[in-house]
Amino acid sequence: MSFWTPSTFAAITDGRWLVAPEDPESCLQGAGIDTRTLRPGEAFVAIAGERFDGHDFLAAASAAGAAIAIVEREVSLADAAATDSGCRLPILQVASTVGALQRLAGAYRQVLRAGGCRVISVSGSNGKTTTRHLIHHTLSHAGLKGTQSPKSFNNHLGVPLTLLAARPEHDFLTCEVGTNHPGEIAELAALVRPDIAVLTSIGEEHLEFFRDLAGVAREEAAIFPFVEPTGTLLLPAPHWLPLSIDPPAGAPYICQRFDLDPLADDLPLPGAHNRLNASAAAAVAKLFGIEAPAIARALRAAGTMPMRCEVLFADAPGRPTVINDAYNANPTSMRAALGMLQGWQGRRVAILGDMLELGEGGRAAHRDIAALARQAAEHTVFVGPLFAEALPAAAGESVGSMTAHAEWSDTTAEQIVALLEPNDVILIKGSRGMALERLIPAIEQRFAATTA
């Protein structure tokens, strides 16, 4: 039985046809949840989100060439707009479209296994996207064929979409697995069932929900029972972890530890934490039988991911060097970034945005990072109410100047860039909700005018 047919989708999801397909054994070309990126022949899964409801876009899905639509509520059959062939868009109703997407992904994981595609999961508090990128790059550089999570597709929707986009004839799939609430790792790991599971780190993430590092460790370790019996679990060496974490006794898979690997010495990404991410990629490559010289060559050629220690303008005369690490932040990743900044030559400037979802420990965490920033940078700019509150205590013992903007206004970017100089090395880092990457155009404009 082929997986990619309307009849198989109906059987896996236990759905019923509101509008039956003319050919239930026709070949589907994939699955998607966004009509803007949907390709002809794909199944459209209508997800009811916080801002948009996919059920409102059935006509758009039909216009995009969807082969079928999967819905969870009653819809007007007028929504089943006519396709180019004059047929109505087939509509399959299920109890939950999110559940249907996950059931399809879980079933497709068996197809990938049968085809020989090895699934690599990447989870952890920090470094997931960079490590996933480095794994994909290193394996591909060696001539292996595979796919990876697009962007940060690491949640209840992104993980099943990543699985469904893989091809069983490929050598590998690298799948990012994330969490911000207890129980999410186990739910996703049950779909992924990795042949190789990489844990990048344990840090102070989402403490509003996990409470403490022990809670984070419990959540991240929830992937361990789902590693394939013939698979491998890759963990950082103990001294990279804030507490002990080990697989359960009698686990059927192999557990290996990785540390800084000399093969990652020439990595073009700054910071020891990125060398550790690259060392994890090297450990995966070795499990695929790739020789050390090929791994080293691949890592030397690795590019950066947007807003993750992305070095900008380093070779541009008259412009400061900007380390754009603005995608996200927590206390652990802030410490790593500030430690990295201290290794740069020039006047060091840290522009730090509030760290969100830290719960009761948020104020103390911001005070600690503010105190560390005063040692790492000649000038620090804080953005957000929590850092602004921490400023007075930190500034009292500052080795450099410090300023704060409790709220973002129309003039905040202009005020911040006015403090910068052409030879600065600038770290920009904050939680996703702070959106500090909006400083980049202002920096470009200021120094383009200076050098014009």
Side-chain angles (χ1 to χ4, degrees):
M1 181 178 65
S2 172
F3 176 84
W4 292 105
T5 66
S7 64
T8 301
F9 272 40
I12 290 171
T13 62
D14 196 25
R16 69 181 184 95
W17 293 106
L18 299 181
V19 177
E22 282 198 337
D23 181 4
E25 302 307 320
S26 60
C27 183
L28 302 174
Q29 301 301 314
I33 63 172
D34 189 337
T35 58
R36 296 169 298 180
T37 57
L38 198 70
R39 296 175 299 182
E42 290 187 330
F44 172 64
V45 185
I47 302 294
E50 293 181 0
R51 293 185 297 171
F52 301 103
D53 187 342
H55 296 79
D56 298 332
F57 294 89
L58 295 186
S62 181
I68 66 171
I70 302 177
V71 302
E72 66 182 24
R73 61 174 170 81
E74 293 287 347
V75 295
S76 168
L77 295 188
D79 291 336
T83 64
D84 291 340
S85 64
C87 300
R88 285 188 177 276
L89 174 67
I91 298 180
L92 179 67
Q93 186 179 31
V94 298
S96 163
T97 48
V98 172
L101 186 68
Q102 294 181 344
R103 290 174 72 172
L104 288 168
Y108 192 59
R109 175 63 180 94
Q110 300 179 40
V111 177
L112 296 176
R113 182 183 296 108
C117 178
R118 296 168 74 180
V119 176
I120 307 155
S121 69
V122 182
S123 56
S125 300
N126 302 296
K128 292 185 292 297
T129 299
T130 298
T131 302
R132 182 258 297 163
H133 159 69
L134 291 171
I135 291 170
H136 180 84
H137 170 81
T138 304
L139 298 183
S140 299
H141 200 271
L144 299 180
K145 302 296 183 183
T147 56
Q148 63 175 326
S149 302
K151 299 181 180 179
S152 290
F153 271 34
N154 61 24
N155 65 5
H156 66 297
L157 299 177
V159 167
L161 288 171
T162 297
L163 286 166
L164 289 167
R167 296 174 59 178
E169 66 269 23
H170 279 173
D171 299 301
F172 69 93
L173 160 65
T174 310
C175 186
E176 202 172 314
V177 179
T179 180
N180 55 26
H181 285 80
E184 291 180 343
I185 288 285
E187 177 182 323
L188 299 177
L191 303 178
V192 176
R193 297 193 173 271
D195 297 292
I196 300 172
V198 179
L199 178 66
T200 60
S201 60
I202 297 294
E204 299 140 300
E205 60 169 331
H206 308 295
L207 296 185
E208 182 179 357
F209 310 109
F210 296 130
R211 299 183 62 85
D212 53 26
L213 279 170
V216 174
R218 282 192 300 271
E219 175 67 7
E220 295 293 352
I223 203 167
F224 295 174
F226 297 96
V227 179
E228 288 285 276
T230 58
T232 303
L233 172 65
L234 292 173
L235 300 177
H239 62 87
W240 287 101
L241 298 173
L243 41 71
S244 177
I245 184 168
D246 296 289
Y253 49 80
I254 297 170
C255 179
Q256 295 181 9
R257 299 275 181 172
F258 61 91
D259 206 335
L260 292 180
D261 192 318
L263 297 176
D265 284 350
D266 295 325
L267 184 75
L269 282 71
H273 59 298
N274 277 320
R275 282 187 58 211
L276 187 67
N277 294 335
S279 299
V284 172
K286 291 173 185 177
L287 292 175
F288 277 81
I290 300 173
E291 299 293 334
I295 297 172
R297 285 194 300 270
L299 293 176
R300 282 197 298 271
T304 60
M305 295 295 289
M307 295 195 293
R308 293 167 175 88
C309 286
E310 182 184 17
V311 180
L312 305 174
F313 320 132
D315 299 320
R319 291 191 184 187
T321 295
V322 176
I323 307 170
N324 181 6
D325 201 24
Y327 187 79
N328 218 335
N330 58 45
T332 303
S333 65
M334 277 285 195
R335 285 192 287 270
L338 289 169
M340 171 190 65
L341 179 65
Q342 284 186 286
W344 287 72
Q345 299 298 314
R347 190 182 80 133
R348 298 183 300 276
V349 178
I351 304 175
L352 307 181
D354 278 1
M355 302 172 289
L356 307 179
E357 295 185 357
L358 294 181
E360 296 178 357
R363 284 184 169 81
H366 284 79
R367 288 195 297 270
D368 291 344
I369 295 300
L372 185 60
R374 73 180 181 233
Q375 301 298 327
E378 280 76 27
H379 186 82
T380 303
V381 179
F382 296 120
V383 180
L386 289 169
F387 267 133
E389 182 180 320
L391 174 62
E397 303 177 44
S398 174
V399 297
S401 57
M402 309 179 87
T403 56
H405 299 265
E407 302 293 339
W408 188 277
S409 71
D410 293 341
T411 61
T412 300
E414 180 182 349
Q415 293 175 49
I416 292 174
V417 300
L419 302 169
L420 306 180
E421 300 173 1
N423 295 321
D424 287 348
V425 178
I426 305 161
L427 169 68
I428 301 177
K429 188 167 184 64
S431 279
R432 182 84 301 272
M434 302 305 296
L436 290 188
E437 67 276 7
R438 53 189 154 170
L439 287 168
I440 302 298
I443 294 172
E444 287 186 285
Q445 182 177 8
R446 153 92 191 278
F447 290 96
T450 301
T451 58

